[in-house]
Amino acid sequence: MTSRLKYFTALLAFLIILTPFSQSAHAADDITGHWHEEALLEMIELKVMNGYGNGEYRPDAQVTRGQFAAIISRALNLETPTEGKIFTDVKSENDFLNEVLAASNAEIITGYTDGTFKPHKVISRVHMAVITERAMKYLQIEEKSTNLQFADVKKILADYRPAVANTVAYEIFKGSPIDGKLFFRPEDNASRGDAAAIMSRLLKVAKAAQPEEPEAEPVLTYDVATAASDGTHKVIRKFDTFEAAEAFLKAGNGNAVYYDNAIVRMNSGVVITVPLPSDSLTTVYATTAVDAKGDTVLRNAFTYVSADTELEYYGSTKDYVQVRVSGKDGFIRHQNANLKLWSQMTGRSYYSVSGGNLNHHIYSNAKNSYSAYSIGKAPSFMSAGQRYHSWDGIEFLTTGGKVAGRGYNYFQYLPARSTTSYTAAEIDAYIVKRLLELEANNPSSTTYKDASKRSKLIGMGTHLKKVEAESGINALMILALAQHESAYGLSARAVTFNNLFGLRVYDNNPANDHFATVEENIDELISLFWNKNYIPPNAVYANGSNFGSKAIGMNMRYASDPFWGSKAAGHMYRIDQAMGGKELFAYELGLTTAINQNARTSAEVLTNNVAFTYKAAGYPVILKEALKKPDRTWYRTSSDDLRFPEVYFAGEYIRPLSVLK
């Protein structure tokens, strides 16, 4: 191994030690929530990227040639040479003198024929790719190539295409999806966030390319132990198999089984989901099975949740952890589960009542902090000043574990196939009023500065009512989601790209989708997402047309946040309250109770009157009328299928919902 690779190996070891990142890096206000947040924090911890003071790092600011030379020099720990090429316009630290000289000496950067480097010139994506490819050669990373499939590949100069292909083959550079096509955007200027992401990927590729010394596999055992509240544990007895350790635990010994210093079985406690290096989400499966090799596998994924989610613990084997998510049984992999005894929990999510509203306080185990929002109307069985807990947002328990009451949050279970009585003018008036309140209540906030002039929500009323009439989606439901996803139409994505709903912005592959107008963005949400994949009874992601939870409704497959549905419903509740409260409890709601349940075009069982069939139980409907007949009661209800304005269900398969009042 050459000296430069030995030196770089030490840097990589340092990078590994820094994971996870320290809390100090998380204080950067303009980084939190950015789609390059993880890479930016990594580069800040490694002191590869510096800020501008006061926690400001400007992730969306353009990068100059000098800045990128400095970033790559620091990332590779390049040494400043005592002699070497001198550029006529690089003379001081303001021009990144040492870093530019170091990168030049390593043959990673070059200048212009007139002897200049132009350190303050903004760098393009293709030039960044060329420099990155030279860094790969410096690190002796094996050259790869791939066919460039970008729609704008002809805009990449022929001399640059091999370098671009090498970086793309290693997935250091990726394209941007726009209108269903992938673009490289070679002439576009790169941002500081882009630079951080490129460096992060380069370091990971370099680490993977380093040969690792084989290590002797440690002999691991299943240890029955007494776990303490501070996270330490005292081993009582070691076992070669999980089954033997579990039996010893069940016999009354200790309170947990450890494997490789992590709890894999416990008497009771909580599951906290953790991300994997390749995936930030935890998939929840409905069933387990044994494959041809005799290994236990998880099958039939029905939802997914983000990292740091509290799940109800129901048991575990050596192969999986049994959980409940929003009250629905499921299974997750051990690598996604951090099992914690109740005594080890430093905080816990809870519900409270204030001002007649039901508030949800979400605890972050990773940050040891709470965030809160108003979910809806407080139920009569709750008292102010008390804490309540709930795994599903339906059954609420006192801190002593007794059932305080049950009920469904109205707007969380209201089907999308409903209408609001509010007019377009009333909706527009509410939006302006709310934006003015945000301005007045947050005078020092840059986000809400001039909100009543800048927000992309302004003037949406007419189009929302048009969509409601033509597409069968409640106008307030769309507005509530827009407020939730776009910070009241003021997020960077909304302001820059007219993207109010984060369409095609995913947890594992954040990107921006551009829309010419807000109206176009709303139409795409309805036509290509909700009315295509989520609401029709037999759509690919159909689980009910309500906001819902991880057990029912669009939240199951639409968003990784397990409380996306209740947060959006909270916005709808607050909108209605601000406009007079006419929509709360306007409809009577019910749930279907059987799988393969037929919705019929008339209140009778005929061979030719099946409108559609719900594949699973638990779909919400609006109960319009109960028809009592000699053989049974029928319900005339709302319909998730636009071909049928209303349908009928046999009464024994419909359960009227008791909503929180």
Side-chain angles (χ1 to χ4, degrees):
M1 182 184 293
T2 64
S3 60
R4 75 173 58 160
L5 288 183
K6 287 181 179 178
Y7 191 64
F8 192 70
T9 300
L11 172 64
L12 291 171
F14 176 58
L15 190 153
I16 295 169
I17 291 171
L18 285 173
T19 306
F21 309 112
S22 72
Q23 290 296 315
S24 61
H26 283 275
D29 290 342
D30 62 349
I31 289 178
T32 301
H34 195 277
W35 47 88
H36 289 318
E37 176 183 357
E38 184 176 344
L40 286 159
L41 292 174
E42 180 182 327
M43 293 303 105
I44 293 166
E45 280 294 344
L46 289 172
K47 301 190 185 305
V48 169
M49 296 184 71
N50 299 321
Y52 295 85
N54 297 322
E56 186 179 3
Y57 291 91
R58 302 178 190 173
D60 295 318
Q62 294 177 343
V63 172
T64 66
R65 286 167 54 82
Q67 288 172 334
F68 190 62
I71 289 170
I72 207 163
S73 293
R74 296 168 191 157
L76 272 58
N77 258 356
L78 300 180
E79 293 184 352
T80 304
T82 56
E83 58 183 22
K85 185 179 177 79
I86 300 297
F87 297 106
T88 58
D89 57 349
V90 180
K91 299 178 180 180
S92 70
E93 287 304 315
N94 291 334
D95 303 320
F96 305 100
L97 175 63
N98 293 336
E99 291 90 344
V100 169
L101 292 179
S104 174
N105 186 64
E107 299 182 351
I108 293 174
I109 64 167
T110 59
Y112 293 86
T113 55
D114 63 357
T116 63
F117 178 68
K118 297 182 173 56
H120 303 295
K121 180 180 179 181
V122 176
I123 193 169
S124 66
R125 280 174 52 81
V126 71
H127 285 162
M128 183 182 283
V130 171
I131 292 174
T132 302
E133 199 256 354
R134 293 193 194 119
M136 294 168 67
K137 290 181 179 178
Y138 172 82
L139 296 170
Q140 300 179 10
I141 296 173
E142 181 182 357
E143 186 174 350
K144 286 186 182 181
S145 186
T146 186
N147 292 326
L148 298 176
Q149 302 294 325
F150 301 111
D152 56 351
V153 68
K154 292 183 179 180
K155 291 186 179 181
I156 304 174
L157 294 177
D159 290 345
Y160 294 160
R161 288 178 192 171
V164 172
N166 193 10
T167 62
V168 170
Y170 278 99
E171 297 186 353
I172 295 174
F173 272 78
K174 303 176 182 179
S176 300
I178 303 174
D179 296 331
K181 297 180 180 179
L182 197 64
F183 289 79
F184 185 75
R185 302 183 291 114
E187 299 169 358
D188 285 9
N189 297 327
S191 70
R192 286 169 58 80
D194 294 333
I198 296 306
M199 285 302 99
S200 176
R201 295 171 194 152
L202 174 62
L203 293 180
K204 288 178 175 63
V205 169
K207 177 181 181 297
Q210 300 303 309
E212 296 183 359
E213 296 292 334
E215 296 182 1
E217 289 292 330
V219 178
L220 298 176
T221 57
Y222 292 94
D223 305 336
V224 177
T226 300
S229 59
D230 62 0
T232 62
H233 65 278
K234 182 178 180 181
V235 176
I236 300 172
R237 185 172 173 184
K238 296 177 178 291
F239 295 88
D240 292 332
T241 66
F242 175 90
E243 292 74 16
E246 182 182 40
F248 191 64
L249 177 71
K250 287 182 176 180
N253 302 289
N255 55 11
V257 176
Y258 281 78
Y259 183 78
D260 197 14
N261 285 318
I263 297 177
V264 294
R265 177 73 164 85
M266 57 188 178
N267 292 329
S268 64
V270 182
V271 179
I272 309 298
T273 59
V274 295
L276 301 178
S278 59
D279 195 344
S280 63
L281 305 179
T282 294
T283 301
V284 186
Y285 298 84
T287 60
T288 66
V290 178
D291 63 15
K293 297 179 181 179
D295 297 326
T296 300
V297 293
L298 305 184
R299 290 182 176 167
N300 301 317
F302 68 87
T303 193
Y304 50 90
V305 296
S306 54
D308 204 12
T309 295
E310 294 177 14
L311 298 180
E312 195 172 3
Y313 177 72
Y314 256 69
S316 49
T317 70
K318 65 182 180 64
D319 300 305
Y320 58 78
V321 180
Q322 186 176 0
V323 298
R324 275 191 177 178
V325 51
S326 299
K328 185 178 178 68
D329 291 338
F331 306 90
I332 65 174
R333 296 185 175 92
H334 268 291
Q335 54 263 46
N336 283 121
N338 178 16
L339 275 57
K340 302 184 75 169
L341 302 174
W342 287 113
S343 62
Q344 296 174 333
M345 295 289 290
T346 54
R348 185 184 175 190
S349 299
Y350 67 93
Y351 293 83
S352 70
V353 171
S354 64
N357 298 323
L358 176 61
N359 302 313
H360 188 194
H361 305 260
I362 303 174
Y363 178 70
S364 168
N365 286 269
K367 299 178 180 179
N368 190 25
S369 62
Y370 285 92
S371 59
Y373 64 98
S374 174
I375 186 175
K377 180 177 173 56
S380 58
F381 58 76
M382 288 188 181
S383 302
Q386 302 296 316
R387 290 191 178 192
Y388 300 87
H389 300 288
S390 178
W391 288 110
D392 57 10
I394 300 170
E395 181 176 81
F396 296 88
L397 309 175
T398 66
T399 53
K402 294 183 178 180
V403 176
R406 287 177 52 87
Y408 292 78
N409 182 35
Y410 179 79
F411 286 117
Q412 195 174 346
Y413 290 88
L414 177 68
R417 300 289 189 227
S418 55
T419 59
T420 173
S421 61
Y422 296 120
T423 66
E426 287 175 315
I427 292 173
D428 285 336
Y430 155 75
I431 291 171
V432 173
K433 180 181 178 182
R434 180 63 182 135
L435 294 172
L436 288 171
E437 290 173 348
L438 291 171
E439 288 179 8
N441 296 336
N442 302 276
S444 61
S445 170
T446 56
T447 299
Y448 297 123
K449 180 178 175 58
D450 297 326
S452 60
K453 300 181 182 65
R454 297 188 302 111
S455 172
K456 291 291 183 172
L457 300 184
I458 297 170
M460 283 177 57
T462 298
H463 195 69
L464 289 178
K465 292 297 288 186
K466 178 176 181 289
V467 169
E468 182 178 75
E470 296 177 356
S471 302
I473 306 292
N474 191 305
L476 289 196
M477 195 170 183
I478 303 170
L479 176 59
L481 185 62
Q483 287 189 173
H484 175 60
E485 296 282 6
S486 71
Y488 294 90
L490 296 165
S491 69
R493 193 171 287 119
V495 172
T496 307
F497 303 123
N498 290 315
N499 192 344
L500 294 175
F501 308 102
L503 296 186
R504 298 189 178 87
V505 178
Y506 309 111
D507 297 83
N508 293 325
N509 184 27
N512 290 306
D513 219 17
H514 302 64
F515 295 91
T517 64
V518 166
E519 289 77 12
E520 178 185 305
N521 179 227
I522 294 172
D523 292 343
E524 182 158 318
L525 170 76
I526 301 306
S527 62
L528 297 185
F529 288 81
W530 284 14
N531 269 347
K532 178 181 179 181
N533 293 325
Y534 288 89
I535 295 179
N538 298 310
V540 61
Y541 300 138
N543 291 287
S545 67
N546 58 317
F547 282 135
S549 66
K550 279 301 175 181
I552 181 175
M554 288 191 284
N555 198 170
M556 285 184 69
R557 303 294 293 273
Y558 190 87
S560 60
D561 180 358
F563 306 114
W564 173 88
S566 58
K567 290 174 181 176
H571 277 279
M572 197 168 178
Y573 169 73
R574 293 189 294 276
I575 293 170
D576 178 50
Q577 292 297 295
M579 297 176 71
K582 294 189 294 185
E583 301 300 311
L584 185 63
F585 312 136
Y587 293 103
E588 183 181 358
L589 308 182
L591 284 183
T592 62
T593 61
I595 61 173
N596 298 321
Q597 187 168 341
N598 291 326
R600 299 182 181 273
T601 56
S602 57
E604 54 191 332
V605 178
L606 300 175
T607 58
N608 62 350
N609 74 337
V610 176
F612 56 81
T613 302
Y614 281 135
K615 60 187 177 182
Y619 283 70
V621 293
I622 295 172
L623 305 181
K624 297 183 176 182
E625 182 184 14
L627 303 173
K628 296 186 181 298
K629 294 199 170 187
D631 59 337
R632 57 161 53 106
T633 296
W634 289 83
Y635 280 106
R636 180 167 63 89
T637 76
S638 60
S639 168
D640 286 340
D641 191 326
L642 285 174
R643 296 175 301 171
F644 308 97
E646 55 188 24
V647 292
Y648 296 84
F649 288 99
E652 63 265 35
Y653 301 123
I654 293 291
R655 176 167 60 89
L657 286 188
S658 174
V659 297
L660 295 173
K661 291 185 178 181

